[in-house]
C-alpha cells in the first residue's frame, strides 16, 4: 500500500468538466478546498463541511456526491462535473439553468450549484418526476432563501412538465 | 423571447433576475472566492468551551512553535491594540471581540491563530492550553434575573442591563373598565436564520498612512462603521470597508459580524500581515448571532363586545452575554407600532434586557417581530376564545379602518396606507374558512386534534435610525443630542460610451436589488434593464454611503429604490434637455422610449439616448446654457417623517407599513405528536409590486423561516448553558418535504411615501407563521400553554395531557461561586443494572483495582492511582466522528465495603469537557452472583456537546455496556483465587476486547 506522510503534498490529476487538470494536495485536503483554492473552481460552495447542507454537491464518476466529505487524493483519476460545466456548448444557460432563472429558483445563489448538480443527475435517472419526487430529492439540500417552491417548479419545468 | 423583453414599463413586470446568470454558472464571487491583496494568511479562532469561567492562564507556546504558524493573538494583545466596542446602552460593560480574563458563553473567542493555511491554524488552536476556573452559568433569563444569580458583569451590579417602562393613553383605566382581561405567559425560543454562507472577511492593516481595509460579507447597517472606528481608534477614512460582490444570504445575521471585523483587524495589526477568516458552521451556530429568546407575558383588556381596550406587555429579552449594538433594538423595532393592526389606544410596555451565558443576539429576519406578534396575536386569539367570538371577528372588530390612513399609532408610528379587513376577507375566502371550520367539527367528532389559527400583522420597513434611542430616557436623549433619519443613497451615471451604471450601496444577499434597480432606471431612461448595470457593493472610501446604508429592515423597496428613482429622473431630465436643444423642441415634448430620446408623437424625430448622454462628456461646450458637464447624479433620500423620538417616547419608527394576514389549519396525531399543516394561506399588501418574481421569492422564503421557527428550529442550551446545536444535524433547518402548500393572496394599497408606491417586504410570514401555527396548535390541543418549536415530543405530551419538558428551563442551579463537581444537576442522566458472575466481595475488590479498571475502561490509555481513593486517567473517546483524548480525574467517595460507592469525576480535552458522578450499589443475587445497580448524571460541554449531542446518550450507554461486559469477562477469568495482574497480551488487548 502506498503510504504518504500527512504533511506531504502529492499530485492529484483529474478530469473536470471534460478537461484534464491537476494540482497538489496533502492527504487531508478536502476535495472542496482542492477544487476551490487549488484549481480556482469557486462555483462549488461550502455551507457546512459536515455533509448535511448539500451546497458542495458535484458529480463524481456519474454519482452526485458531497465534495466536502471527500479528500482530494481519493479522487485522483476520476471524472468530475461541477457547476462550471453545466452550460450548453454554445455558452448559453442549459434548460435547467434557464428554468431556475425564469422561476426565481435562486436568491443568494449560494446553495444553487449543489442543487443544480443533484437535479442534473436526478433528471437523468428520473426524466419525468412528479412534485413529491422532486421535493424528496431536495431533502438533501438546505436553501435558506427560497422556501423551495420555486426550485420545485424550475425542476419540473426543466423536465418538460 | 420572454414577453417582458418588449414590455413598455419594466417596473411591475415579471422580469427574471439579472443576478442569476453569474450564480447559475459558478461565475459569481463571494468573500471566500476573493484574493484582494497579496500575502494573505489564514486564521482559526480558539473558542471557549465553558459557558462561564475565569481564564487562569493561556499557554500558546506549543501552538506558536508549530511549523507554518505565523502568530497567536490572545485577548491581552487585543486589549493592548484596541478599545472596547461602544454600546447603544450606557452600562459599564467592556465589550471586546475576544475574552480578556473571563469567558461568558461557549463559543466566545479566546485566541486567534494565524498560519500559512487554515488546516495548520486549526491544528494549532488545539495546542493552546487554557486553564479555566469554571463559574456557575445559565442560559435562562429568568434564572439570571433572580436575586442570587451570579453576575456576568460585576460592574453592572445586576444581570438586568436595561429596564424601561412606557405608557401610552391610559392603560390602567382601560384595564379597570374592561369586561374581560386575558393574560398569557410564555417562552419564545432562540433560533437563527443561519445563512448558507457563513461570515467571512479579510483584514489588512497598512502603515503609512495607518489604515485598516476589510473585505467582508458584512451587510450593514453602516452606522456600525462608527463603532468599529471607535474601537480601532482611527478616523472614519482610515477604516475602509469593502463588501464582496455576492453574499450568500444574511437575514440580519451578517450585521453581527462587526466584532469579528474588529478582532481580525486587530490581529492584522498585531501580526503585520493580511488575515483571512472564514467562519465554519459550528462557529456560526455557537458564536455568530441569533434572534432573541424571550420570557414574556402579555395582558389584554376587552369589552364584552370584543373591543380591545388596552394592552400590557412585559418583555424579558435574553440578550446573550453582551449587549452588542444595535441591541436593545430588537425589543424596540416594533415598539412604536405596539398596537399592531388595531385601534387600541392604551398601551403599557415594560422592557427588561437580561444578560445570560449565551451567544449575544442581533438582527434576524423579522427582527423582534415574531416575538411581538407571539404576544399580540395570541392574546387576540385567547380573547376571542374567552369572549366566545370567532377569532376573525374579533380582529375585524378592532382593525384600523381604510379611511383612517395615514394612521398615527399611539406609540408614534405613522402607518402610511392599508386595508386590513380586505386582507383578512381575502384570506378567509382563499382558505374557504367555513369549510375549514366544518372540517374541524368533523375531525373532532372523530376524536382527532384539529385546529385553526390566524395572525395579522403590519410590517414596518425602512427604519428610523433613532428608534434605538428609545432605550434612553427622554432626558438622556436630550443630553446625548438628536438622532433621526434613515438616509438612502443611490447614484446613476452615464459614462462616455453612453453606458448606464447604478450604484445602490445596498449590500444585497439575494434580494434582487440589481434587477429591481435596473427596471426602475430602464423605465426612466427608455432603456432595457439589461442595458443598465447595477453595482450594489459598498466601498466606504468610494461609495456615497451614510449611516443607514446596508440591507436590513426591508429598506430597499421602501427607501433605497426611491433614491434610485430620483437619481434616474434627474439623469432623464438632463438627457431630455440636451435632446430638446438638438431636436429644436421644448424639453416637455421629449420622451425617452426604446433607447431613443424622441419627440412626443413624432417618433422619427429621435436621437439615441446613449449619444445624447455621451455628449455631456465629449462635447461639454455644446451643452445647453448653464448645464454642468458629465452625467452623474447622486440622490440622498431622507424620508421626512423619520424624526427623533418626542418627550412622550413616541417615534415614527419606519417609512412604510406593509401588511400580512396568515391562516393555518393543523392536525396533530395524538399517537405520534406529528403535526400536519393541512392548509396555509398568506395574504400580503406590499404596496405596488416592483417585480413579481422577487416579491414571490421573499414570500415563500419568509414563510419557510417562519415554519422553521414554528416546527423545528431551536438553538438549545442545557442547564449548564452548554449549546447543543452545533451542526445542521442538530439544528434542523426546514427542507423541501416539510414545506406545505402555500396559498398566496395579494392586494395593494400603494405607499404615498415613495414615488413608486412600493412598501418594504421580506419579513412577511417569517414574523407571522410561528404565531398562526401556534394558534392553530393551541386550538387543536385546547391549551395556549404550548411552546415553540412544536416538536413531536412536545406535541405528543400536550396531546396526552402530560407535562411538557421545557427547553433549557431546567433545574439549573442558581447561585454564586465555582460549581462543585459533586454538587450539580447534570444534563446527561441514566441508570441501569447488570448481573455479574461473582459474589459482591469479589466484585468490590476488582472494582477498586486500578489494573482491572485500566483494562476494562473503554479507550483507557493510562490509569494511575494518585491517592487512596483518587485516580487519573487518559482516555480516548469518539463521539459523532470526533475522537479525542481526555484527561480524567476520578474520586471515590462514601465507600461502604462490598455495598456501595459514589464516583465523582471530571475530564477535559481539546474537544470539550465533562463532569459527572455515579452511584454504584451491589447486592448478592444468589449462587455467587451480584446485581450491580448504577446511576449517573453528567454535564458535557465544548465541541463534543455542541456537535455530538444527539449521540451522547447513546454513546454513554454503549460505553457503560462495554465496560461491564469487559468487567464481567474479567471476573470470570480471574476467578476467586486468581490474581488480577494481567500479562502483556492481556494488557494489550484487555481494554479493547469488549
Ligand atoms: S458543505 Fe458539503 S454538505 Fe454542506
Ligand atoms: S438561494 Fe440562498 S440559500 Fe438557496
Amino acid at each position: 500500500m502506498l503510504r504518504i506522510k500527512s504533511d506531504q503534498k502529492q499530485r492529484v490529476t483529474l478530469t473536470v468538466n471534460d478537461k484534464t487538470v491537476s494540482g497538489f494536495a496533502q492527504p487531508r485536503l478536502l476535495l472542496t478546498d482542492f477544487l476551490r483554492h487549488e484549481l480556482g473552481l469557486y462555483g462549488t460552495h461550502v455551507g457546512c463541511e459536515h455533509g448535511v447542507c448539500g451546497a458542495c454537491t458535484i458529480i463524481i464518476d456519474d454519482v452526485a456526491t458531497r465534495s466536502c466529505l471527500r479528500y482530494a487524493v481519493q479522487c485522483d483519476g476520476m471524472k468530475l462535473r461541477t457547476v462550471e460545466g453545466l452550460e450548453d456548448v454554445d455558452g448559453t444557460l442549459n434548460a435547467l439553468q434557464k428554468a431556475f432563472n425564469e422561476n426565481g429558483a435562486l436568491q443568494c445563489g449560494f446553495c444553487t450549484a449543489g442543487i443544480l448538480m443533484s437535479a442534473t443527475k436526478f433528471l437523468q435517472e428520473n426524466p419525468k418526476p412528479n412534485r413529491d419526487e422532486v421535493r424528496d430529492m431536495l431533502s438533501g439540500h438546505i436553501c435558506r432563501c427560497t422556501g423551495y417552491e420555486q426550485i420545485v417548479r424550475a425542476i419540473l419545468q426543466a423536465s418538460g412538465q | 423571447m420572454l414577453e417582458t423583453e418588449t414590455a413598455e414599463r419594466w417596473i411591475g413586470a415579471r422580469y427574471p433576475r439579472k443576478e442569476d446568470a453569474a450564480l447559475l454558472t459558478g461565475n459569481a464571487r463571494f468573500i471566500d472566492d476573493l484574493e484582494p491583496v497579496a500575502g494573505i494568511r489564514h486564521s482559526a479562532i480558539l473558542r471557549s468551551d465553558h459557558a462561564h469561567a475565569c481564564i487562569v492562564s493561556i499557554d500558546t507556546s506549543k501552538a506558536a512553535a508549530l511549523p507554518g504558524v505565523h502568530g497567536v493573538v490572545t485577548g491581552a494583545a487585543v486589549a493592548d491594540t484596541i478599545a472596547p466596542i461602544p454600546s447603544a446602552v450606557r452600562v459599564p460593560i467592556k465589550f471586546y471581540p475576544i475574552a480578556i480574563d473571563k469567558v461568558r458563553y461557549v463559543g466566545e473567542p479566546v485566541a486567534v491563530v494565524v498560519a500559512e493555511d487554515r488546516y495548520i491554524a486549526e491544528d494549532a488552536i488545539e495546542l493552546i492550553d487554557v486553564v479555566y476556573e469554571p463559574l456557575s452559568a445559565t442560559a435562562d433569563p429568568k434564572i439570571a434575573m433572580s436575586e442570587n444569580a451570579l453576575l456576568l458583569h460585576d460592574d453592572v451590579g445586576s444581570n438586568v442591563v436595561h429596564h424601561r417602562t412606557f405608557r401610552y393613553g391610559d392603560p390602567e383605566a382601560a384595564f379597570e373598565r374592561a369586561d374581560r382581561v386575558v393574560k398569557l405567559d410564555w417562552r419564545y425560543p432562540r433560533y437563527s436564520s443561519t445563512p448558507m454562507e457563513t461570515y467571512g472577511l479579510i483584514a489588512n492593516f497598512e502603515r503609512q498612512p495607518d489604515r485598516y481595509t476589510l473585505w467582508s460579507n458584512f451587510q450593514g447597517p453602516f452606522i456600525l462603521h462608527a463603532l468599529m472606528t471607535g474601537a480601532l481608534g482611527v478616523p472614519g477614512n482610515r477604516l475602509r470597508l469593502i463588501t464582496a460582490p455576492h453574499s450568500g444570504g444574511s437575514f440580519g445575521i451578517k450585521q453581527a459580524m462587526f466584532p469579528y471585523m474588529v478582532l481580525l483587524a486587530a490581529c492584522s495589526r498585531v501580526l503585520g500581515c493580511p488575515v483571512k477568516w472564514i467562519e465554519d458552521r459550528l462557529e456560526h451556530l455557537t458564536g455568530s448571532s441569533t434572534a432573541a429568546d424571550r420570557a414574556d407575558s402579555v395582558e389584554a383588556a376587552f369589552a364584552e363586545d370584543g373591543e380591545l381596550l388596552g394592552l400590557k406587555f412585559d418583555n424579558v429579552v435574553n440578550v446573550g452575554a453582551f449587549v452588542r449594538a444595535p441591541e436593545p433594538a430588537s425589543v424596540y423595532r416594533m415598539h412604536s407600532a405596539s398596537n399592531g393592526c388595531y385601534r387600541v389606544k392604551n398601551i403599557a410596555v415594560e422592557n427588561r434586557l437580561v444578560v445570560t451565558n449565551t451567544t449575544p443576539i442581533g438582527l434576524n429576519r423579522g427582527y423582534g417581530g415574531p416575538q411581538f406578534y407571539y404576544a399580540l396575536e395570541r392574546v387576540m386569539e385567547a380573547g376571542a376564545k374567552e369572549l366566545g367570538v370567532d377569532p376573525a371577528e374579533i380582529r375585524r372588530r378592532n382593525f384600523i379602518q381604510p379611511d383612517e390612513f395615514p394612521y398615527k399609532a399611539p406609540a408614534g408610528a405613522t402607518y402610511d396606507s392599508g386595508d386590513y379587513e380586505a386582507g383578512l376577507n381575502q384570506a378567509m375566502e382563499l382558505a374557504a374558512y367555513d369549510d375549514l371550520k366544518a372540517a374541524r367539527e368533523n375531525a373532532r367528532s372523530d376524536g382527532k386534534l384539529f385546529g385553526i389559527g390566524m395572525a395579522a400583522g403590519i410590517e414596518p420597513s425602512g427604519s428610523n435610525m433613532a428608534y434605538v434611542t428609545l432605550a434612553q430616557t427622554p432626558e438622556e436623549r436630550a443630553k446625548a443630542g438628536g438622532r433621526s433619519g434613515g438616509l438612502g443613497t443611490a447614484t446613476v451615471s452615464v459614462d462616455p460610451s453612453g453606458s448606464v451604471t447604478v450604484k445602490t450601496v445596498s449590500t444585497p444577499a439575494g434580494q434582487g436589488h440589481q434587477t429591481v434597480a435596473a427596471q426602475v432606471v430602464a423605465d426612466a431612461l427608455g432603456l432595457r434593464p439589461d442595458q443598465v448595470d447595477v453595482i450594489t457593493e459598498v466601498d466606504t472610501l468610494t461609495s456615497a454611503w451614510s449611516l443607514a446604508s446596508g440591507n436590513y429592515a426591508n429598506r430597499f423597496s421602501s427607501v433605497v429604490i426611491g433614491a434610485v428613482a430620483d437619481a434616474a429622473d434627474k439623469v432623464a431630465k438632463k438627457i431630455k434637455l440636451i435632446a430638446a436643444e438638438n431636436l429644436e423642441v421644448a424639453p416637455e415634448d421629449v420622451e425617452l422610449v426604446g433607447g431613443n430620446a424622441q419627440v412626443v408623437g413624432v417618433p422619427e424625430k429621435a436621437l439615441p439616448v446613449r449619444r445624447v448622454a455621451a455628449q455631456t462628456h465629449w462635447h461639454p461646450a455644446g451643452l445647453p446654457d448653464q448645464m454642468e458637464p458629465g452625467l452623474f447624479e447622486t440622490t440622498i433620500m431622507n424620508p421626512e417623517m423619520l424624526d427623533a423620538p418626542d418627550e412622550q417616547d413616541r417615534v415614527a419608527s419606519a417609512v412604510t407599513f406593509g401588511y400580512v394576514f396568515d391562516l393555518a389549519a393543523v392536525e396533530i396525531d395524538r399517537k405520534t405528536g406529528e403535526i400536519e399543516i393541512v392548509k396555509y394561506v398568506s395574504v400580503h399588501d406590499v404596496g405596488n409590486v416592483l417585480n413579481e418574481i422577487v416579491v414571490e421569492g421573499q414570500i415563500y422564503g419568509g414563510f419557510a423561516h417562519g415554519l422553521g421557527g414554528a416546527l423545528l428550529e431551536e438553538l438549545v442550551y442545557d442547564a449548564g448553558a452548554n449549546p447543543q446545536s452545533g451542526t445542521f444535524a442538530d439544528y434542523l433547518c426546514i427542507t423541501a418535504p416539510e414545506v406545505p402548500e402555500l396559498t398566496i393572496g395579494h392586494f395593494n394599497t400603494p405607499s404615498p411615501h415613495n414615488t413608486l408606491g412600493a412598501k418594504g417586504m421580506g419579513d412577511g410570514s417569517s414574523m407571522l407563521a410561528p404565531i398562526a401555527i401556534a394558534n392553530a396548535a393551541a386550538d387543536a390541543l385546547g391549551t395556549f400553554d404550548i411552546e415553540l418549536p412544536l416538536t413531536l415530543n412536545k406535541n405528543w405530551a400536550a396531546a396526552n395531557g402530560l407535562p411538557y419538558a421545557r427547553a433549557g428551563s431546567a433545574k439549573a442551579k442558581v447561585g454564586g461561586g465555582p460549581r462543585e463537581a459533586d454538587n450539580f444537576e447534570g444534563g446527561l442522566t441514566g441508570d441501569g443494572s447488570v448481573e455479574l458472575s461473582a459474589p459482591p466481595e469479589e466484585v468490590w475488590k476488582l472494582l477498586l483495582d486500578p489494573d482491572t479498571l485500566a483494562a476494562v475502561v473503554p479507550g483507557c490509555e493510562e490509569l494511575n492511582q494518585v491517592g487512596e481513593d483518587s485516580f487519573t486517567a487518559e482516555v480516548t473517546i469518539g463521539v459523532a466522528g470526533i475522537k479525542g483524548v481526555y484527561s480524567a480525574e476520578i474520586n471515590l467517595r462514601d465507600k461502604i465495603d462490598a455495598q456501595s460507592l459514589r464516583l465523582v469525576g471530571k475530564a477535559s480535552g481539546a474537544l470539550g469537557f465533562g463532569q459527572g458522578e455515579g452511584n454504584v450499589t451491589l447486592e448478592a443475587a444468589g449462587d455467587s452472583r451480584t446485581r450491580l445497580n448504577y446511576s449517573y448524571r453528567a454535564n458535557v460541554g465544548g465541541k463534543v456537546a455542541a456537535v455530538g449531542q444527539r449521540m451522547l446518550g447513546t454513546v454513554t450507554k454503549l460505553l457503560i455496556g462495554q465496560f461491564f461486559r469487559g468487567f464481567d469477562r474479567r471476573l470470570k477469568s480471574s476467578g476467586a483465587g486468581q490474581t488480577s495482574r494481567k500479562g502483556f497480551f492481556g494488557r494489550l488487548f484487555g481494554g479493547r476486547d469488549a
Side-chain angles (χ1 to χ4, degrees):
Chain A
M1 190 169 72
L2 175 66
R3 283 203 159 269
I4 310 160
K5 286 227 284 306
S6 66
D7 59 353
Q8 187 184 328
K9 283 190 178 181
Q10 72 156 354
R11 184 172 280 284
V12 174
T13 304
L14 21 78
T15 310
V16 184
N17 304 325
D18 306 320
K19 258 202 346 236
T20 305
V21 289
S22 82
F24 287 93
Q26 282 181 6
R28 64 173 174 173
L29 189 76
L30 295 179
L31 179 58
T32 40
D33 287 333
F34 181 74
L35 285 173
R36 293 172 46 76
H37 300 298
E38 184 74 12
L39 300 181
L41 294 167
Y42 291 111
T44 300
H45 296 152
V46 175
C48 70
E49 260 182 335
H50 51 248
V52 182
C53 77
C56 64
T57 306
I58 61 170
I59 298 172
I60 303 178
D61 280 352
D62 230 24
V63 180
T65 308
R66 301 190 169 209
S67 54
C68 74
L69 298 183
R70 286 289 184 106
Y71 295 111
V73 291
Q74 288 176 294
C75 301
D76 194 35
M78 294 186 177
K79 278 201 175 63
L80 275 55
R81 188 155 293 275
T82 67
V83 68
E84 286 90 350
L86 275 188
E87 281 155 276
D88 282 342
V89 272
D90 63 356
T92 57
L93 299 186
N94 75 10
L96 182 65
Q97 291 168 315
K98 251 185 238 146
F100 267 60
N101 177 233
E102 286 168 15
N103 288 280
L106 64 157
Q107 289 180 26
C108 77
F110 200 77
C111 68
T112 310
I115 295 181
L116 287 173
M117 300 319 288
S118 281
T120 299
K121 194 66 215 141
F122 170 75
L123 289 175
Q124 279 167 16
E125 282 159 12
N126 187 358
K128 296 281 170 216
N130 64 31
R131 238 186 109 77
D132 282 344
E133 287 168 335
V134 174
R135 295 197 328 153
D136 216 50
M137 179 277 284
L138 285 174
S139 70
H141 291 271
I142 299 175
C143 171
R144 291 302 258 170
C145 298
T146 62
Y148 308 102
E149 173 59 28
Q150 290 154 311
I151 301 178
V152 174
R153 285 187 208 158
I155 294 173
L156 287 173
Q157 177 182 318
S159 74
Q161 306 185 79
Chain B
M1 183 192 276
L2 288 154
E3 50 162 305
T4 48
E5 283 176 29
T6 55
E8 285 190 350
R9 210 174 122 75
W10 298 101
I11 267 304
R14 204 184 153 80
Y15 187 77
R17 303 191 328 159
K18 286 168 73 71
E19 292 86 344
D20 292 358
L23 293 162
L24 287 164
T25 53
N27 283 291
R29 288 293 165 263
F30 294 81
I31 186 68
D32 190 32
D33 309 337
L34 302 181
E35 263 175 74
V37 57
I40 294 175
R41 316 266 171 155
H42 302 264
S43 64
I45 301 176
L46 174 71
R47 292 166 182 275
S48 169
D49 49 20
H50 286 269
H52 200 184
C54 292
I55 298 176
V56 179
S57 62
I58 305 181
D59 180 356
T60 60
S61 55
K62 273 191 241 150
L66 189 74
V69 168
H70 189 69
V72 185
V73 179
T74 60
V78 173
D80 282 347
T81 312
I82 64 168
I85 303 176
S87 158
V89 287
R90 315 220 172 282
V91 280
I93 294 177
K94 281 194 182 144
F95 173 41
Y96 282 99
I98 186 167
I100 307 295
D101 44 19
K102 235 186 195 188
V103 290
R104 294 180 173 87
Y105 65 95
V106 174
E108 185 172 2
V110 173
V112 182
V113 173
V114 175
E116 244 164 53
D117 66 40
R118 174 70 177 245
Y119 290 71
I120 296 173
E122 288 196 23
D123 286 345
I125 60 174
E126 294 199 353
L127 299 175
I128 299 174
D129 202 2
V130 187
V131 178
Y132 293 103
E133 191 179 294
L135 303 168
S136 80
T138 184
D140 185 330
K142 284 277 159 116
I143 292 175
M145 276 166 88
S146 60
E147 285 264 302
N148 49 352
L150 186 66
L151 296 181
L152 267 82
H153 302 279
D154 294 330
D155 294 347
V156 185
S158 165
N159 286 332
V160 179
V161 293
H162 167 72
H163 188 184
R164 276 211 73 192
T165 55
F166 301 83
R167 277 179 83 253
Y168 303 97
D170 191 346
E172 294 76 15
F175 276 81
E176 194 96 332
R177 150 166 90 85
D179 296 315
R180 304 285 174 99
V181 171
V182 186
K183 182 173 188 214
L184 297 175
D185 291 297
W186 75 90
R187 292 296 179 109
Y188 198 82
R190 179 175 269 238
Y191 57 81
S192 156
S193 292
T194 64
M196 287 310 298
E197 179 200 36
T198 55
Y199 293 176
L201 63 88
I202 297 153
N204 188 29
F205 176 74
E206 295 163 291
R207 283 223 172 280
Q208 307 307 345
D210 285 0
R211 174 162 26 234
Y212 293 98
T213 303
L214 278 153
W215 294 264
S216 74
N217 51 12
F218 177 59
Q219 69 165 86
F222 281 78
I223 192 170
L224 297 172
H225 181 269
L227 303 191
M228 292 187 248
T229 55
L232 293 170
V234 290
N237 58 1
R238 296 292 171 81
L239 171 62
R240 180 180 193 183
L241 303 185
I242 300 174
T243 59
H246 287 268
S247 171
S250 186
F251 318 108
I253 292 293
K254 284 177 182 161
Q255 160 266 325
M257 68 182 293
F258 72 94
Y260 290 101
M261 294 162 76
V262 171
L263 175 61
L264 275 299
C267 291
S268 173
R269 180 175 194 143
V270 170
L271 299 175
C273 61
V275 180
K276 177 172 178 175
W277 171 64
I278 302 292
E279 180 187 53
D280 72 23
R281 189 52 66 182
L282 168 63
E283 292 183 279
H284 189 80
L285 287 168
T286 53
S288 64
S289 188
T290 101
D293 55 307
R294 304 252 291 244
D296 297 353
S297 72
V298 64
E299 273 179 89
F302 290 97
E304 199 58 54
D305 66 355
E307 186 188 346
L308 176 63
L309 302 171
L311 287 165
K312 282 187 196 167
F313 297 93
D314 180 2
N315 301 320
V316 172
V317 182
N318 178 2
V319 75
F322 293 93
V323 191
R324 206 164 52 180
E327 287 307 321
S330 66
V331 75
Y332 288 106
R333 168 162 183 246
M334 299 303 296
H335 181 92
S336 69
S338 292
N339 54 313
C341 305
Y342 308 115
R343 302 166 73 178
V344 56
K345 297 261 183 275
N346 308 303
I347 301 171
V349 182
E350 176 165 12
N351 289 333
R352 275 170 294 182
L353 245 74
V354 185
V355 286
T356 68
N357 299 104
T358 56
T359 311
I361 62 164
L363 302 186
N364 191 60
R365 197 168 197 168
Y367 199 38
Q371 295 88 341
F372 166 70
Y373 287 118
Y374 200 70
L376 181 60
E377 288 301 297
R378 290 202 323 141
V379 86
M380 288 304 283
E381 203 104 343
K385 285 250 147 68
E386 180 75 20
L387 291 162
V389 298
D390 191 288
E393 217 30 65
I394 201 166
R395 291 181 167 95
R396 281 198 185 98
R397 173 78 186 74
N398 289 289
F399 275 152
I400 296 163
Q401 294 302 305
D403 57 3
E404 292 179 278
F405 293 95
Y407 185 82
K408 192 91 191 137
T414 304
Y415 297 177
D416 50 347
S417 61
D419 186 346
Y420 304 150
E421 190 167 339
L424 179 145
N425 291 340
Q426 193 181 346
M428 296 293 127
E429 209 169 292
L430 289 170
Y433 188 48
D434 290 332
D435 297 353
L436 262 190
K437 285 202 282 191
R440 175 171 64 187
E441 288 326 303
N442 280 340
R444 285 184 179 171
S445 63
D446 292 347
K448 290 186 179 154
L449 299 169
F450 191 106
I452 304 172
M454 52 193 87
I458 43 115
E459 180 168 350
S461 300
S463 289
N464 185 345
M465 301 311 281
Y467 82 79
V468 183
T469 62
L470 284 177
Q472 297 160 9
T473 61
E475 300 73 50
E476 286 167 341
R477 283 198 299 269
K479 236 193 263 159
R483 293 263 187 284
S484 71
L487 302 185
T489 60
T491 305
V492 176
S493 59
V494 187
D495 67 22
S497 76
S499 322
V500 180
T501 307
V502 183
K503 288 191 188 171
T504 59
V505 206
S506 61
T507 59
Q511 294 85 356
H513 293 182
Q514 295 185 4
T515 304
V516 176
Q519 285 173 279
V520 168
V521 175
D523 275 343
L525 303 185
L527 301 170
R528 293 190 315 272
D530 63 283
Q531 294 171 306
V532 178
D533 272 4
V534 183
I535 308 297
T536 49
E537 55 253 49
V538 176
D539 176 340
T540 54
L541 281 195
T542 60
S543 307
W545 64 282
S546 181
L547 297 171
S549 295
N551 183 27
Y552 57 96
N554 313 314
R555 70 190 315 275
F556 182 74
S557 54
S558 54
V559 180
V560 176
I561 200 65
V564 172
D566 284 358
D569 279 346
K570 285 188 195 160
V571 169
K573 211 157 144 207
K574 203 160 161 180
I575 290 173
K576 283 181 191 168
L577 279 174
I578 303 166
E581 189 157 293
N582 289 339
L583 296 165
E584 298 177 332
V585 292
E588 308 79 72
D589 292 333
V590 178
E591 60 179 358
L592 307 181
V593 181
N596 288 326
Q598 65 190 33
V599 179
V600 179
V602 198
E604 55 288 359
K605 264 188 99 175
L607 291 168
V609 166
R610 281 170 173 255
R611 219 174 78 202
V612 179
Q615 193 186 333
T616 62
H617 295 277
W618 294 95
H619 186 30
L623 293 176
D625 284 349
Q626 315 284 322
M627 183 179 278
E628 279 181 22
L631 202 43
F632 312 90
E633 294 292 348
T634 295
T635 302
I636 300 170
M637 179 157 155
N638 185 30
E640 57 187 21
M641 73 294 296
L642 302 187
D643 208 344
D646 68 11
E647 298 206 332
Q648 279 78 49
D649 288 312
R650 289 176 302 208
V651 64
S653 58
V655 183
T656 66
F657 291 80
Y659 171 68
V660 188
F661 189 93
D662 279 12
L663 182 143
V666 306
E667 191 177 324
I668 295 171
D669 186 329
R670 214 186 282 273
K671 287 208 197 79
T672 61
E674 191 177 346
I675 180 166
E676 187 198 346
I677 297 173
V678 183
K679 177 93 157 178
Y680 202 99
V681 174
S682 186
V683 174
H684 294 249
D685 172 9
V686 302
N688 288 338
V689 172
L690 301 176
N691 182 324
E692 219 181 285
I693 296 183
V694 172
V695 165
E696 215 177 61
Q698 290 298 313
I699 292 175
Y700 280 116
F703 173 59
H705 278 282
L707 205 60
L711 301 181
L712 290 177
E713 296 182 24
E714 182 175 16
L715 290 156
V716 179
Y717 285 84
D718 75 4
N722 298 298
Q724 321 262 284
S725 326
T727 71
F728 275 151
D730 305 274
Y731 185 82
L732 299 176
C733 301
I734 284 286
T735 63
E738 285 102 41
V739 182
E741 194 181 324
L742 171 65
T743 308
I744 298 176
H746 282 296
F747 71 104
N748 53 38
T749 64
S751 174
H753 288 166
N754 61 56
T755 42
L756 298 164
K759 293 183 178 183
M761 56 96 46
D763 293 339
S765 300
S766 72
M767 299 193 292
L768 293 187
I771 294 85
I773 294 170
N775 279 339
D779 185 39
L781 295 164
T783 171
F784 280 95
D785 192 20
I786 56 174
E787 200 174 273
L788 301 183
L790 296 164
T791 52
L792 295 187
N793 42 4
K794 284 194 218 159
N795 299 337
W796 179 81
N800 292 286
L802 296 168
Y804 214 87
R806 286 182 200 272
S809 55
K811 339 125 204 175
K813 214 175 80 78
V814 183
R819 181 194 283 135
E820 277 273 311
D822 55 354
N823 182 20
F824 74 102
E825 299 282 351
L828 196 67
T829 57
D831 50 41
S833 78
V834 286
E835 213 176 281
L836 300 166
S837 345
E841 297 69 30
E842 221 26 69
V843 171
W844 183 256
K845 219 166 81 197
L846 217 54
L847 208 51
L848 300 183
D849 171 36
D851 286 346
T852 303
L853 291 178
V856 302
V857 168
C860 183
E861 313 277 352
E862 200 185 311
L863 189 133
N864 297 308
Q865 185 153 18
V866 290
E868 197 199 325
D869 289 328
S870 310
F871 304 87
T872 59
E874 297 278 310
V875 193
T876 303
I877 301 175
V879 180
I882 48 172
K883 205 169 198 176
V885 183
Y886 300 83
S887 322
E889 265 174 58
I890 303 151
N891 294 297
L892 306 181
R893 305 258 170 96
D894 308 336
K895 284 193 316 195
I896 303 178
D897 256 5
Q899 280 182 32
S900 66
L901 65 85
R902 197 155 64 88
L903 292 110
V904 178
K906 54 183 180 189
S908 65
L911 297 172
F913 64 90
Q915 48 195 346
E917 67 168 57
N919 286 295
V920 175
T921 57
L922 306 178
E923 50 192 71
D927 201 17
S928 45
R929 293 174 73 78
T930 302
R931 170 142 299 275
L932 180 151
N933 302 305
Y934 63 87
S935 65
Y936 60 87
R937 46 201 180 129
N939 223 331
V940 181
K943 212 177 249 183
V944 68
V947 310
Q949 194 54 35
R950 72 221 115 87
M951 272 82 136
L952 275 179
T954 323
V955 171
T956 309
K957 283 188 194 119
L958 212 79
L959 293 176
I960 291 173
Q962 277 181 25
F963 173 81
F964 283 119
R965 275 199 304 280
F967 188 74
D968 198 37
R969 214 165 296 146
R970 193 75 181 179
L971 275 174
K972 283 181 193 151
S973 68
S974 69
Q978 280 182 27
T979 165
S980 66
R981 288 259 154 223
K982 243 192 166 188
F984 173 71
F985 288 104
R987 235 172 223 289
L988 194 61
F989 299 111
R992 291 166 228 280
D993 64 356

